[in-house]
Amino acid sequence: MRLISSSLAALFVLAGCGGGGGSPGVGAPPVAQQPPPTTPTNPAPPTGTQPTPEDLNPNLLGDAYGTYWNKCAVPRTGVDASGKAYPDTQGTLLDELKFLRAWTNQYYLWYNEVPNTYKMADFTSALDYFDVLKTPAVTASGQPKDRYHFTYTTAEWDAMQTQGISLGYGITWSRSTNEGAPRTWLVTAVEPGSPASAAGLLRGDMLLKVDGVDFVNTEDEAAIDIINAGLFPESVGAAHRFTLQRAGVQYEARMIGAEVVKAPVKNVKVIETPSGKVGYLTFDSFNAVSEKQLYDAFTTFRQAGVNDLVLDVRYNGGGLLYVASQLAYMIAGPESTSGKVFERSQYNDKTPAYQPILFRSTAWGFASSNPLRTGTSLPTLGLKRVTVLSTEGTCSASESVINGLRGADIEVIQIGGTTCGKPYGFTPVPNCGTTYFSIEFQGVNHKGFGDFTDGFTPTCRASDDLSRPVGDQDEGLLATALAYRASGACPASSTASSAARARLVPMRIVRPEVEEISIHTTPGAPPAR
């Protein structure tokens, strides 16, 4: 996904990712999932009078921005997190619906497939109306053509991007992909300093109960509501009890919901090998905070004289495309990337072509808790090859890095699993306190390639090893990467052991769609964006 915080703020574009309905378990069965409060349910098609010409022909609505943007049924008052007054003015629900219809008609990638049978007057919620403003088409396999249509509160979205803050316990879960019970959820990562860390949770622990309810086997709707409330706290200070299992032994943990600050870059280190120094880092999100942290990591690598790099993006769902272009540049350097396109966006037939994103050699200077000065020259390693650790949780901007580097003829050795396959993009648009995400484009590299909806297949397939910490040289993915580097061949057995159930069923990262995005700031984009 890609984001644009249009002319009302800094312009951003997000690359399409997501999947499912905006709930933490993207694409998961309808159990143990708690949608963000702004995610609409799927309403039944409204019934009533026939649509008016205004409903059927959004071109009659005029300038969606000048006329309807931030005309709100309930305007916000006061200032946002940056101290700026909210732009809201008094309007009506109909104004909000007109805004969404006109925006969709102009920028949605499949605008000509949106049903024209809905009447605005039959809707009592902007969220429900937005939910039907997408193509109803399905793919050959029966999956929805558009799986990436969702919303988020603007305040929560801004906090996640500029401060790396999210409400929860600081846990990344992996879950079994089967429908219904029995369910397997394993702790995949624990954020240092988080409630989960304080409670002693470790990578590989298996969830058994939430507030006394059998998480693995229950099918009761009321019990599932209790589970959801515990897994996804809706407020700071909410306390819940968990029963987990480690190495066959059960234990109890009590955690309190908090605003957790997540460090996107971790485990920066230099690994000494017989053939030279290898840089390694875990990279979890292309947010504004990561710009300075990546700069510091590559400065360390350059000063240490590393001649190879292992980039661990196994859980990275995406983020700012301009940070992705900077990362790719720091890996490859000017010799391989000068004058080349990192990513070009292809829009619908109503949208003019914009300047492509090149491999960016200087910092953008995104606003964050620890910003990098705009225009700062970036350190480079000048590598001709890089090793990337991937899983199905590797999405969007992470895939753009792989695709962009290959477009510049940099060899990308991929260790782990097939990536999630999200080449589409959209502009998250803020209006009246809600940020809307609707597909707008597909991204391609310097060679014009962008068809990776089935994901990128690994050079060596290896399982995510939950029995060891990420960054441990004996952990399955990293150990496989180092072995392949030494021998030039995939190890005979590159499937690491993990918890017993993890070996038996396919696993998927649990996270909301909004954490699977790519964002690119577009200088000179038209005011409508």
Side-chain angles (χ1 to χ4, degrees), residues 1-4 13-17 22 38-39 100 103-104 108 130 133-134 146-154 156-158 160-161 425-430 434-440 513-519:
M1 309 172 181
R2 291 166 183 124
L3 138 78
I4 285 187
V13 179
L14 290 92
C17 301
T38 57
T39 301
L100 291 173
W103 168 269
T104 300
Y108 184 53
F130 176 74
L133 295 179
K134 62 181 179 181
D146 184 352
R147 296 176 290 130
Y148 318 124
H149 200 77
F150 65 100
T151 68
Y152 233 68
T153 65
T154 299
E156 191 167 3
W157 164 251
D158 289 346
M160 291 174 64
Q161 284 303 302
F426 47 47
T427 300
V429 181
T434 297
T435 297
Y436 297 91
F437 300 79
S438 186
I439 291 177
E440 290 190 23
E513 290 171 308
V514 77
E515 293 186 6
E516 296 186 345
I517 56 179
S518 309
I519 310 155

Side-chain angles (χ1 to χ4, degrees), residues 483-506:
Y484 182 88
R485 181 180 181 277
S487 67
C490 297
S493 177
S494 57
T495 302
S497 62
S498 184
R501 285 276 293 151
R503 290 198 301 265
L504 299 176
V505 296

Side-chain angles (χ1 to χ4, degrees), residues 155-228:
E156 191 167 3
W157 164 251
D158 289 346
M160 291 174 64
Q161 284 303 302
T162 63
Q163 303 172 59
I165 292 176
S166 62
L167 176 62
Y169 308 113
I171 306 172
T172 298
W173 298 96
S174 291
R175 63 168 178 83
S176 53
T177 58
N178 60 291
E179 298 283 341
R183 304 173 196 88
T184 298
W185 278 37
L186 302 175
V187 176
T188 302
V190 175
E191 190 68 27
S194 67
S197 177
L201 273 68
L202 295 178
R203 177 172 161 85
D205 292 351
M206 183 182 296
L207 180 62
L208 301 179
K209 294 181 182 180
V210 179
D211 287 328
V213 175
D214 180 358
F215 172 80
V216 176
N217 298 302
T218 189
E219 298 281 12
D220 179 73
E221 186 173 343
I224 289 171
D225 288 342
I226 293 173
I227 288 173
N228 283 330

Side-chain angles (χ1 to χ4, degrees), residues 11-294:
L11 265 185
F12 292 111
V13 179
L14 290 92
C17 301
S23 60
V26 174
V31 73
Q33 296 184 27
Q34 182 68 23
T38 57
T39 301
T41 57
N42 291 323
T47 58
T49 57
Q50 290 297 313
T52 65
E54 190 175 65
D55 290 307
L56 298 177
N57 186 1
N59 291 316
L60 298 178
L61 297 178
D63 180 356
Y65 293 95
T67 306
Y68 303 112
W69 204 351
N70 290 311
K71 291 188 67 175
C72 311
V74 183
R76 294 167 293 174
T77 59
V79 298
D80 62 19
S82 66
K84 296 180 180 178
Y86 290 120
D88 303 0
T89 60
Q90 185 62 58
T92 65
L93 173 62
L94 185 58
D95 290 326
E96 295 185 35
L97 303 188
K98 288 179 178 179
F99 171 84
L100 291 173
R101 190 65 177 95
W103 168 269
T104 300
N105 183 67
Q106 184 65 35
Y107 295 105
Y108 184 53
L109 184 60
W110 303 296
Y111 70 91
N112 56 352
E113 298 180 22
V114 175
N116 61 5
T117 55
Y118 298 110
K119 181 176 173 59
M120 295 181 195
D122 292 328
F123 288 85
T124 58
S125 164
L127 300 181
D128 287 346
Y129 186 56
F130 176 74
D131 196 48
V132 301
L133 295 179
K134 62 181 179 181
T135 175
V138 296
T139 64
S141 64
Q143 294 295 316
K145 182 176 180 178
D146 184 352
R147 296 176 290 130
Y148 318 124
H149 200 77
F150 65 100
T151 68
Y152 233 68
T153 65
T154 299
E156 191 167 3
W157 164 251
D158 289 346
M160 291 174 64
Q161 284 303 302
T162 63
Q163 303 172 59
I165 292 176
S166 62
L167 176 62
Y169 308 113
I171 306 172
T172 298
W173 298 96
S174 291
R175 63 168 178 83
S176 53
T177 58
N178 60 291
E179 298 283 341
R183 304 173 196 88
T184 298
W185 278 37
L186 302 175
V187 176
T188 302
V190 175
E191 190 68 27
S194 67
S197 177
L201 273 68
L202 295 178
R203 177 172 161 85
D205 292 351
M206 183 182 296
L207 180 62
L208 301 179
K209 294 181 182 180
V210 179
D211 287 328
V213 175
D214 180 358
F215 172 80
V216 176
N217 298 302
T218 189
E219 298 281 12
D220 179 73
E221 186 173 343
I224 289 171
D225 288 342
I226 293 173
I227 288 173
N228 283 330
L231 283 174
F232 311 110
E234 293 188 354
S235 62
V236 172
H240 296 277
R241 294 177 295 107
F242 300 83
T243 302
L244 299 104
Q245 179 175 292
R246 181 184 305 158
V249 179
Q250 295 186 20
Y251 72 94
E252 301 291 322
R254 181 177 181 271
M255 292 185 287
I256 298 175
E259 291 186 335
V260 179
V261 178
K262 296 183 177 181
V265 178
K266 304 181 183 74
N267 303 318
V268 177
K269 62 183 178 181
V270 177
I271 301 172
E272 300 283 351
T273 74
S275 57
K277 298 179 178 180
V278 178
Y280 171 87
L281 75 157
T282 308
F283 185 34
D284 292 337
S285 177
F286 291 83
N287 60 15
V289 178
S290 72
E291 186 177 34
K292 177 63 162 59
Q293 293 185 7
L294 285 171

Side-chain angles (χ1 to χ4, degrees), residues 265-451:
V265 178
K266 304 181 183 74
N267 303 318
V268 177
K269 62 183 178 181
V270 177
I271 301 172
E272 300 283 351
T273 74
S275 57
K277 298 179 178 180
V278 178
Y280 171 87
L281 75 157
T282 308
F283 185 34
D284 292 337
S285 177
F286 291 83
N287 60 15
V289 178
S290 72
E291 186 177 34
K292 177 63 162 59
Q293 293 185 7
L294 285 171
Y295 173 89
D296 291 342
F298 276 81
T299 297
T300 297
F301 294 150
R302 184 172 176 83
Q303 291 174 347
V306 303
N307 60 6
D308 211 342
L309 177 69
V310 177
L311 175 65
D312 192 339
V313 289
R314 70 181 78 187
Y315 308 135
N316 192 319
L320 291 156
L321 277 177
Y322 265 55
V323 173
S325 73
Q326 292 175 37
L327 171 59
Y329 172 80
M330 288 190 284
I331 292 170
E335 181 179 343
S336 297
T337 63
S338 179
K340 293 183 179 179
V341 169
F342 172 72
E343 182 162 304
R344 185 187 308 276
S345 302
Q346 297 179 335
Y347 293 81
N348 67 26
D349 57 7
K350 294 184 179 183
T351 307
Y354 296 128
Q355 290 295 317
I357 300 175
L358 304 180
F359 289 83
R360 188 174 177 86
S361 62
T362 61
W364 180 268
F366 288 102
S368 73
S369 54
N370 183 24
L372 193 61
R373 183 173 56 83
T374 300
T376 300
S377 295
L378 301 176
T380 67
L381 301 182
L383 302 178
K384 297 298 184 182
R385 72 172 186 180
V386 62
T387 300
V388 173
L389 306 188
S390 66
T391 65
E392 188 183 10
T394 304
C395 298
S396 196
S398 295
E399 293 173 298
S400 293
V401 170
I402 296 172
N403 198 43
L405 287 171
R406 286 175 174 168
D409 294 318
I410 302 300
E411 181 185 7
V412 179
I413 301 165
Q414 189 181 334
I415 305 295
T418 302
T419 63
C420 69
K422 294 186 169 76
Y424 296 119
F426 47 47
T427 300
V429 181
N431 190 56
C432 299
T434 297
T435 297
Y436 297 91
F437 300 79
S438 186
I439 291 177
E440 290 190 23
F441 61 86
Q442 181 174 358
V444 300
N445 64 15
H446 187 73
K447 296 180 178 180
F449 178 78
D451 185 13

